[in-house]
Amino acid sequence: MNSLFPKEKIVFDLPDAEIEYYPNLFSVEKSNELFQKLKNEIPWQQDNITVFGQTYPQPRLTALYGNNGKTYSYSNIVMQPHKWNPLLMFIKNEVEEICLENFTTVLLNQYRDGKDSNGWHADNEKELGRNPVIASISFGAERVFHLQHNEIKECKQKITLEHGSLLIMKGETQHCWKHQIPKTSKPIGTRINLTFRIIR
C-alpha cells in the first residue's frame, strides 16, 4: 500500500446499507498502469443475455477469476473462472487490506464506451450468502453509479466512480437496495471494473 497517498474514506448515511467509498485507493500513475494491463491481458468475453424472452449480446465485456473452479451465475449466464494471475492477485491483496476479507472470486466488467451499461440489479445470488461484502474497483473513464432502495422509493444515491477508486457495499445493502451503471450519451472512454466477492 502506497502510504504517500492518504486513503480518503467517504461513508454514506443510507438506511439498510453499509457503503464506503475510497476515491484514491491507487495513485493516478498506478491506476493508468493497471488499466492498460487489464485491458490488454484479460481474456474478455461477451455473453448473450436473455431478458423477457429476448436474447441479445450483453452490453459490456466480462471475465471471471476465482478459487477452486467455482462457477458464478447471474441472469441465466454461468461463468467459469480462470485461475488467479499475478496482476489480479496484486489488486486483490490491496483491496483485502482495506476490507479485511478474503475474497474468493472477482467478476470483471469492461464498459467500452457510454453505450455499454449494467441494468438495475442486486448482487444477491444465493452462492454469495447473507449480507455479502462486494468490493468494487474502477479504472478508466468515470461512470455514475446509481443506487435505489427497494421499499423507500425516494431513497436514492448517485456516486461518481473515479479512476483508481474502491467502493465497498456490505451489510444489508444487496438485500434492500439495487444498483446500476446506466448508458450515457456523453462521449466517454473505456471503464474497467473489478467486483470482488466471496462465493460460499
Side-chain angles (χ1 to χ4, degrees), residues 54-93:
Q54 296 281 317
T55 299
Y56 55 92
Q58 194 168 212
R60 61 189 179 280
L61 306 181
T62 60
L64 185 74
Y65 284 74
N67 304 354
N68 308 324
K70 287 185 179 175
T71 59
Y72 183 64
S73 310
Y74 66 94
S75 302
N76 295 319
I77 294 171
V78 179
M79 297 192 72
Q80 301 288 340
H82 301 282
K83 289 198 168 87
W84 291 104
N85 63 26
L87 171 62
L88 292 174
M89 285 301 296
F90 168 77
I91 300 171
K92 176 176 172 322
N93 290 338

Side-chain angles (χ1 to χ4, degrees), residues 174-188:
Q174 302 305 324
H175 305 296
C176 299
W177 292 74
K178 53 184 179 289
H179 54 269
Q180 69 164 350
I181 298 278
K183 295 181 194 303
T184 175
S185 56
K186 290 181 193 163
I188 56 167

